[in-house]
Amino acid sequence: MGNTQDDECETKPATNVRDAAEEDTSTMAAFQLLFPLLVSCVAASAHPPRHLPACQVVQMDVFCSDLSLRSAPVDLPRGVQTLDLSRNQVQNLTRETLAYHTGFRHLNLHSNNIHFIQPGLFKDMTDLKVLDLSRNHLNVFALSKINIGPLTAVESLDLSSNGLYTGMSDYFLADSPSLENLSLNGNSITKIAQNTFSGSSSLRKIGLHNNVILEIEDGAFDSLNRLTELDLSKNSITCITDFNLCNLKVLNLSKNSMELFQSATSADYYNLLSLDLSENKMLYFPRLPRNNRLEHLDVSRNQLQSVNVTGTPEKKAFFSHLRYLDMSYNQLKSIPECFFYCMASLEVLNVSNNCISSFSVTNEGLLRTVKIINLSHNSLQSLTFGENTLQSLEELVLHGNDLATLDHGIFQRLPSIKHLQLQQNNLQICSSDQNHQDPPGCVSFASIPNLQYLDLSENNVRTLPANVFSNTPLTLLDLSLNPGLDMDKDSLSGLEHSLVHLLLRENNISSLNTDLSSLRSLKHIDLSTNQLTALPMWNKDSSIESLNLQNNHLVTLEYSTMLALEHSLKTLYMGSNPLSCCSNLDFLHMVQNSAVVVPDIETVTCVHEEYSEPVNIEKVTQEMCHTSGVQNYVIAVLVIGLVAVIVSVLLVKCCRSRKPKHNRSFNA
């Protein structure tokens, strides 16, 4: 017992020393915590807060952003509900900083230098609903390991771009029972722990975009029964193997390093409406819940090589609600028709920028509701649409496939088609004349009752026969970049009352045989980068509003033609033409004095015989040409006068030389 007592006596001094050390540590921690407050008080006394006149007051809302303030004005109105102190120089957030007001409903403090928050500051703010602390230095405050709560009534909290890393968000979320909307975007969080959101069970929306998240612990979101929107984009997540958030409606996992996405094997009904898995490294199509109501699925910019159509019906997911599917920028080589069997509501299908060589829809029951199909930039060699298929299709994008042959009437089978993008292929156009010998594999564009937009640029089209668009109400026709295009004089016949936009740029056209004056609805025409030496003929009934004549060989413009356009023309492009200054005075006067806008007028020049360099058309005056004319007239008169004098002298000499000489005699 004695030894025990001696031991106790001997340990007492050590205990006292430890207690003293702990007391010193606590004192030091308290001093470190209170030091910023002391500094803020000194700074406040040295820099008294600005008064209210610098701020804007709207009823009970005060806006003081961008005023270099260190604290709120001292004369805030009693009962102020909104205070905006964003983009100022607030460093320490204290009661004094907020002028001792506690009745705020909306407090905006983003883009300051806040690195200290007074403990318990928000305890009495029982009406505070929205708190924005984004773009500050709250990582410094988090080092003190002190909770800022309670945030009794706060429903929206923005902590984005604060340099927070793993575990630091806990000090802001530990006691926020009403929090629904949370932003932690743009921080340095690497891990979502199981208890990260344990103090915020009412969360509905969480933003974790642009962090460095590598790991999500099991059950991290399980307690959030109300969570409907989760943004985990731009992180470092590699796989999701057991997705089980049944109540979630929107999930964004784009821009990660995802290689696999699998849902938990369950008969539960999932409420997920939108899933974004774009810009990842997935090799396989995601395995989604069998019972789902997914409407929007984006798996673009991955490494998909095939779509998964195997498996028993009991395990396969049904996509009966899916409306939007994006699989662009992958490595798909084919898409079997059976892949679409369970997509009864699909409206938009994007499979552009893959390696697909063949695409067909032959079953009447498939893709009945699809409105847009994008197959651009693939390796298509075969395209097949069966009778009575794709009855709702309105837009078909096929550009960049180098298609050379298609079924003659493939587009006539699409009764709702409005937009056809066929640029960058190698298609030839069939004639509407049955007696005409058409090239093999040509495509017909006649009698497509709803087609309004047709792009045939860069197709190496050589000839455009007559009436090729008859009974097709096109409003836009692009035939650009078909060098050597030969247009029949009636090739646009049938478009007189529908065509509004006509593009014929870069076709090496030297003259237009086609009568454009008959196109009464034509408003915009692009004839740039050709070899035109004369304008097409138009009359006073023309509706042309925009005309592009850049990069042609125009020297003289028919004034009567330009006069016919003047009443409707609004925009004219004329640059890079060898115009003559003095042969186009009427046209230049019209441009200088009418309401016609010439956007490239600074580059529009003309040639004047007295100037070595081209002259900008804005600087051309009638005097420049009249002076030149008078000088030429004077010179001509002088020359004629001189010639007349010379001729007169010569005539006089000639007459004298021919006058008879009389003999004179003298008698002695």
Side-chain angles (χ1 to χ4, degrees):
M1 293 289 296
N3 290 335
T4 303
Q5 290 177 350
D6 290 341
D7 291 341
E8 289 177 357
C9 292
E10 290 175 0
T11 56
K12 281 183 181 179
T15 303
N16 292 336
V17 171
R18 185 166 58 248
D19 292 342
E22 290 178 354
E23 183 177 353
D24 290 342
T25 303
S26 301
T27 303
M28 182 60 69
F31 176 76
Q32 290 177 345
L33 188 61
L34 294 175
F35 179 73
L37 181 59
L38 178 62
V39 172
S40 67
C41 293
V42 174
S45 62
H47 302 277
R50 295 191 179 189
H51 291 280
L52 200 56
C55 303
Q56 294 182 355
V57 181
V58 180
Q59 295 180 347
M60 301 310 295
D61 300 337
V62 180
F63 302 93
C64 302
S65 61
D66 288 299
L67 295 176
S68 300
L69 297 176
R70 293 181 179 273
S71 63
V74 294
D75 51 352
L76 286 176
R78 186 180 298 274
V80 60
Q81 294 185 356
T82 296
L83 175 61
D84 184 352
L85 275 174
S86 62
R87 295 186 295 274
N88 279 291
Q89 298 179 12
V90 178
Q91 295 183 5
N92 302 297
L93 190 56
T94 65
R95 291 183 178 86
E96 184 179 11
T97 305
L98 299 177
Y100 298 99
H101 284 263
T102 59
F104 302 114
R105 294 179 61 87
H106 190 146
L107 188 56
N108 188 347
L109 292 158
H110 83 79
S111 300
N112 278 278
N113 298 311
I114 299 172
H115 56 264
F116 171 77
I117 299 176
Q118 184 176 356
L121 176 65
F122 302 105
K123 181 179 180 181
D124 297 326
M125 296 186 187
T126 55
D127 294 324
L128 186 62
K129 301 291 184 183
V130 179
L131 176 58
D132 189 344
L133 291 167
S134 61
R135 297 188 179 275
N136 281 284
H137 303 290
L138 296 184
N139 57 324
V140 177
F141 170 75
L143 292 174
S144 65
K145 300 184 178 181
I146 298 175
N147 294 339
I148 67 165
L151 301 177
T152 310
V154 173
E155 297 176 355
S156 179
L157 175 62
D158 193 341
L159 297 171
S160 58
S161 302
N162 266 289
L164 300 175
Y165 52 82
T166 302
M168 283 187 168
S169 61
D170 298 0
Y171 305 114
F172 303 91
L173 306 176
D175 195 0
S176 48
S178 301
L179 190 60
E180 296 183 355
N181 189 347
L182 171 65
S183 176
L184 287 166
N185 299 330
N187 283 290
S188 301
I189 300 168
T190 59
K191 177 181 177 180
I192 304 298
Q194 191 173 16
N195 62 344
T196 298
F197 306 109
S198 59
S200 310
S201 57
S202 297
L203 279 170
R204 296 177 182 269
K205 179 179 179 180
I206 301 175
L208 286 160
H209 166 78
N210 194 20
N211 277 272
V212 204
I213 297 172
L214 293 162
E215 180 184 357
I216 301 175
E217 286 188 356
D218 290 342
F221 301 104
D222 287 356
S223 62
L224 305 179
N225 296 324
R226 300 181 182 181
L227 186 64
T228 58
E229 187 169 343
L230 178 58
D231 186 354
L232 289 164
S233 60
K234 203 173 182 181
N235 280 284
S236 302
I237 303 169
T238 57
C239 64
I240 302 289
T241 57
D242 194 18
F243 176 69
N244 62 350
L245 302 179
C246 296
N247 294 322
L248 199 65
K249 292 184 178 180
V250 178
L251 176 58
N252 189 345
L253 283 163
S254 65
K255 298 180 180 179
N256 277 274
S257 300
M258 297 277 298
E259 297 179 2
L260 189 66
F261 182 94
Q262 292 185 347
S263 301
T265 303
S266 170
D268 294 338
Y269 200 88
Y270 284 71
N271 291 318
L272 193 64
L273 299 176
S274 176
L275 176 59
D276 190 344
L277 294 167
S278 62
E279 296 189 56
N280 280 286
K281 299 178 180 179
M282 295 174 55
L283 298 173
Y284 306 101
F285 197 78
R287 195 178 78 187
L288 299 166
R290 173 179 169 79
N291 298 318
N292 68 79
R293 46 185 298 200
L294 194 66
E295 296 181 359
H296 185 288
L297 176 59
D298 190 344
V299 289
S300 63
R301 299 183 185 275
N302 277 275
Q303 299 173 17
L304 300 180
Q305 297 181 2
S306 65
V307 291
N308 183 19
V309 294
T310 60
T312 61
E314 293 78 14
K315 293 183 178 181
K316 288 174 64 175
F318 289 92
F319 298 101
S320 57
H321 299 277
L322 192 64
R323 299 171 59 188
Y324 177 96
L325 175 58
D326 190 346
M327 297 190 293
S328 61
Y329 292 93
N330 279 283
Q331 300 169 20
L332 297 172
K333 295 182 179 179
S334 64
I335 302 180
E337 287 191 45
C338 56
F339 177 69
F340 302 115
Y341 279 176
C342 301
M343 300 183 185
S345 303
L346 193 65
E347 295 180 3
V348 178
L349 173 63
N350 187 353
V351 287
S352 64
N353 294 276
N354 278 279
C355 309
I356 300 170
S357 60
S358 176
F359 185 85
S360 64
V361 180
T362 57
N363 189 320
E364 292 183 23
L366 296 182
L367 300 178
R368 283 187 172 183
T369 57
V370 74
K371 295 181 179 179
I372 300 173
I373 295 179
N374 189 341
L375 283 160
S376 63
H377 296 292
N378 276 281
S379 305
L380 281 180
Q381 297 178 359
S382 172
L383 182 67
T384 305
F385 300 142
E387 293 289 345
N388 300 318
T389 60
L390 303 175
Q391 297 291 288
S392 300
L393 186 64
E394 297 179 0
E395 181 173 347
L396 179 59
V397 185
L398 293 167
H399 67 260
N401 276 287
D402 202 27
L403 278 167
T405 59
L406 285 174
D407 180 34
H408 173 277
I410 187 171
F411 300 124
Q412 281 79 5
R413 298 194 191 101
L414 306 174
S416 302
I417 195 71
K418 295 179 180 179
H419 294 251
L420 262 179
Q421 297 185 30
L422 294 166
Q423 63 268 39
Q424 296 176 346
N425 283 287
N426 199 22
L427 297 173
Q428 296 301 308
I429 302 174
C430 298
S431 170
S432 59
D433 185 357
Q434 295 181 353
N435 297 322
H436 187 274
Q437 185 66 35
D438 287 325
C442 68
V443 184
S444 171
F445 294 102
S447 301
I448 307 178
N450 290 300
L451 186 60
Q452 299 175 7
Y453 179 109
L454 177 59
D455 191 340
L456 284 166
S457 61
E458 295 185 77
N459 266 277
N460 292 318
V461 177
R462 298 298 182 188
T463 59
L464 197 66
N467 305 306
V468 290
F469 305 113
S470 59
N471 300 316
T472 298
L474 292 177
T475 59
L476 185 147
L477 175 61
D478 192 345
L479 291 164
S480 304
L481 293 155
N482 289 295
L485 176 66
D486 182 16
M487 299 176 66
D488 187 273
K489 65 182 182 66
D490 295 320
S491 60
L492 302 180
S493 180
L495 301 178
E496 290 84 359
H497 302 291
S498 65
L499 195 62
V500 177
H501 302 265
L502 177 61
L503 291 83
L504 291 167
R505 67 184 185 279
E506 297 187 52
N507 281 323
N508 293 333
I509 298 173
S510 57
S511 63
L512 273 175
N513 299 324
T514 304
D515 183 12
L516 300 182
S517 63
S518 62
L519 302 174
R520 302 297 178 85
S521 297
L522 188 62
K523 293 184 178 180
H524 309 279
I525 180 168
D526 189 347
L527 292 166
S528 62
T529 316
N530 281 290
Q531 299 178 16
L532 292 174
T533 57
L535 289 178
M537 293 300 296
W538 280 290
N539 53 41
K540 63 180 180 179
D541 295 327
S542 167
S543 300
I544 302 294
E545 295 181 2
S546 174
L547 175 61
N548 192 337
L549 295 168
Q550 290 177 320
N551 294 301
N552 276 282
H553 296 168
L554 297 168
V555 176
T556 303
L557 303 178
E558 289 291 336
Y559 181 63
S560 59
T561 301
M562 298 305 300
L563 194 62
L565 292 176
E566 187 178 12
H567 76 282
S568 63
L569 193 62
K570 297 178 181 178
T571 306
L572 174 65
Y573 293 86
M574 279 296 302
S576 301
N577 277 285
L579 295 172
S580 168
C581 294
C582 296
S583 299
N584 294 288
L585 284 177
D586 291 333
F587 162 70
L588 297 179
H589 182 267
M590 183 190 81
V591 170
Q592 293 171 354
N593 296 278
S594 71
V596 176
V597 176
V598 184
D600 62 343
I601 195 165
E602 293 183 359
T603 63
V604 183
T605 59
C606 59
V607 179
H608 195 288
E609 61 184 11
E610 293 187 2
Y611 295 86
S612 59
E613 297 292 331
V615 181
N616 185 271
I617 64 169
E618 290 186 293
K619 298 179 180 179
V620 177
T621 62
Q622 292 188 357
E623 288 74 15
M624 291 170 60
C625 296
H626 289 164
T627 301
S628 175
V630 169
Q631 290 175 346
N632 292 337
Y633 175 75
V634 170
I635 292 172
V637 169
L638 290 174
V639 170
I640 292 171
L642 181 60
V643 170
V645 170
I646 293 172
V647 170
S648 298
V649 171
L650 292 174
L651 287 174
V652 168
K653 287 184 177 182
C654 182
C655 291
R656 285 181 178 177
S657 64
R658 292 185 179 182
K659 188 175 182 180
K661 296 181 179 179
H662 300 283
N663 294 326
R664 295 182 181 180
S665 60
F666 299 93
N667 294 324

